[in-house]
Amino acid sequence: MSAALKQRDNDSAGTDDEFELTGDTEAQPFELQPVVPDSAGDSQVQTEFFLPEHNPEEPDASPQIEFEGMPRPAYAVQLDDGRQAVFRNAHTLLESLEAQDIDVHYQCREGYCGSCRTQLLEGSVHYHDEPMAYLDDDEILPCCCIPKSDLKIKL
Amino acid sequence: MAYTTFNRNEFDTFKQPMFFGENVNVARYDIQKHKIFESLIEKQLSFFWRPEEVDLTNDRKDYIDLPEHEKHIFISNLKYQTLLDSVQGRSPNIALLPVVSLPELETWIETWSFSETIHSRSYTHIVRNIVPNPAEIFDDITKNEYIVRRAISVTKYYDDFIQLSNYYQQLGEGTHSINGETIEVSMHELKRRLYLTMVSVNVLEAIRFYVSFACSFAFAERAKMEGNAKIIKLIARDEALHLTGTQHMLQIMAKGKDDPEFAQIASECRDDVVKIFAEAAQQEKDWAEYLFKDGSMIGLNKDILCQYVEYIANQRITALGFEQIFPTIKNNPLPWINAWLNSDNVQVAPQEAEISSYLVGAIDSEVDTADLGDFDL
């Protein structure tokens, strides 16, 4: 097995294509060699931005088995300022809004900081896990909920 | 009344209010009156980190190369952060523990304060790594008039409450004459001062800290002082949790959920709350003026930072059920800060990327001889 593991020296976060197997280095197997960045600007790229790299509203490549005769639900999300979005495939309401160019303030994205606190005017949502941030009765945290019905919200 | 370290009265632990009920006795967490504090403790413990795990050797080089006015911004910001965490590392314990009445809240306060001491230690770690003589920086915190001015407003509410609370513990309620001075101790005034203290703590964690984070991340946004930004990112993660804890306490008080008198006090103090927020926002703007007195830095200047102060003040005061105080500001003037504030919530195998959730040697400062292979002398 003669393969050299090449690793990029700029730490683009966590994708498989950071490692390339090449078969051309018979003489020095298993030696780590840094790959020259593709473009000069690469070293300036800020990493640790763990926002979804794909569009969260695109359907999954390998979706869960769907029941025949039960189409995947789509919920209309109406903002008080007139903007509209449709929730279809995203994992959370926040991801869905971001994918549709609606900016929401956020920090932790897992329900403990409360930065994305949003007023729910109509509709209801479901939480995968009960969030820790303080919420009034009419408030939701888009970072950890999905719609259960069409929504009307106020950012 | 007089504090006891193990209360031997018979009472129902779970019928106590958060503060000013019976002193706590058994540290038990099997049943909780307010489950949220137990969740906060667990979350905070899962966040545990040590500053030494973040490598700062590249920051030293970056710091030396910074122009003078940016050094001023960086160091002043660091001094301010040091001040804030010095206060928060001790004050919740000293002010709140003597009057707390629920075991899970007592432990949350201790856990909260403890994590602030980690932040203080990390400032020493940063200072030690970037300047040859740390004392110059630390000594200036108590002398620099701009820092001292903020220290006064940060600690005033704590000190007022602690003073009255001490009299209450020694002498109980009533009118007392001490050294020729007449001291009035009433439960209503104690609770009022406690409530205002919590509001001022909320301002400290929710606005003051975030203004300082913005400065730290503005350097890292230009790929400078990145080790520092990694530490600040871990601190920001903790602070977001503390902020949630404080918001819960304030809302439990304001809704009178376990002590109706607090609901009354909260409604009496609504104007004071707005005033505390507005004053803090003004102080942060004055501070921005001082930070950028010798010049701005790329990506951040006085005006943008002032807008951020207004934006974040709006966000935080509406979270407590108040109206915005700066209705003209609608959008975040520093949209890139979200990504820096975001904790590493995506699981990545640590060997695949250098991320701060896998802390050891988080910055790659390793130089291999092979890197110099194409050098000719």
Side-chain angles (χ1 to χ4, degrees), chain B residues 4 52 134 143 184 195 200 202 252 288 317 322 341 352 377:
Chain B
T4 167
E52 294 77 11
K143 293 189 197 118
E184 182 87 44
Y195 181 72
S200 129
N202 185 248
I252 293 170
I317 201 163
F322 288 78
L341 286 170
E352 286 182 25
L377 286 177

Side-chain angles (χ1 to χ4, degrees), chain A residues 11 13-14 18-19 34 46 48-50 104-110 112-113 115 117 132-134 136, chain B residues 36 43 210 220 230 233 236-237 244 247-248 251 255 311 315 319 338 340-342 345 348 352 354 356:
Chain A
D11 53 347
E18 276 178 55
F19 296 94
Q46 292 295 317
E48 298 213 6
F49 290 7
F50 292 131
V104 184
H105 185 57
Y106 70 85
Q107 179 175 346
C108 72
R109 298 177 84 89
E110 52 179 308
Y112 66 80
C113 78
S115 298
R117 188 181 282 112
M132 282 167 74
Y134 182 85
D136 240 328
Chain B
I36 179 66
K43 195 85 181 166
Y210 278 75
K230 271 191 177 140
K233 198 169 172 163
R237 184 178 66 168
T244 292
Q247 282 174 349
H248 272 282
Q251 293 279 19
K255 303 249 145 108
Y311 172 76
Q315 289 269 329
N338 279 348
W340 283 101
L341 286 170
N342 182 217
N345 56 3
V348 185
E352 286 182 25
E354 290 169 351
S356 53

Side-chain angles (χ1 to χ4, degrees), chain B residues 68-179:
Chain B
E68 280 308 315
H69 70 279
E70 289 189 359
K71 278 185 184 156
H72 165 75
I73 296 169
F74 185 83
I75 289 295
S76 303
N77 192 48
L78 194 58
K79 283 176 189 164
Y80 184 35
Q81 289 169 333
T82 310
L83 165 76
L84 294 179
D85 270 316
S86 305
V87 173
Q88 278 304 94
R90 69 175 69 93
S91 312
N93 282 346
I94 293 174
L96 306 178
L97 290 185
V99 299
V100 75
S101 299
L102 292 171
E104 72 271 20
L105 180 56
E106 180 190 41
T107 309
W108 164 243
I109 292 165
E110 289 167 331
T111 312
W112 165 24
S113 272
F114 169 66
S115 84
E116 307 283 14
T117 65
I118 297 179
H119 304 172
S120 295
R121 292 174 50 77
S122 62
Y123 300 131
T124 299
H125 178 58
I126 295 167
V127 172
R128 237 189 335 229
N129 270 280
I130 61 170
V131 296
N133 182 10
E136 277 171 29
I137 290 178
F138 290 128
D139 289 349
D140 189 52
I141 293 175
T142 52
K143 293 189 197 118
N144 180 313
E145 75 165 295
Y146 293 91
I147 310 248
V148 169
R149 212 181 290 161
R150 349 267 331 272
I152 294 168
S153 56
V154 164
T155 54
K156 189 176 72 185
Y157 290 96
Y158 267 129
D159 293 350
D160 285 353
F161 172 69
I162 290 169
Q163 190 194 30
L164 193 64
S165 167
N166 281 345
Y167 284 128
Y168 170 69
Q169 282 164 58
Q170 286 166 23
L171 309 163
E173 283 184 82
T175 309
H176 310 285
S177 176
I178 298 155
N179 296 335

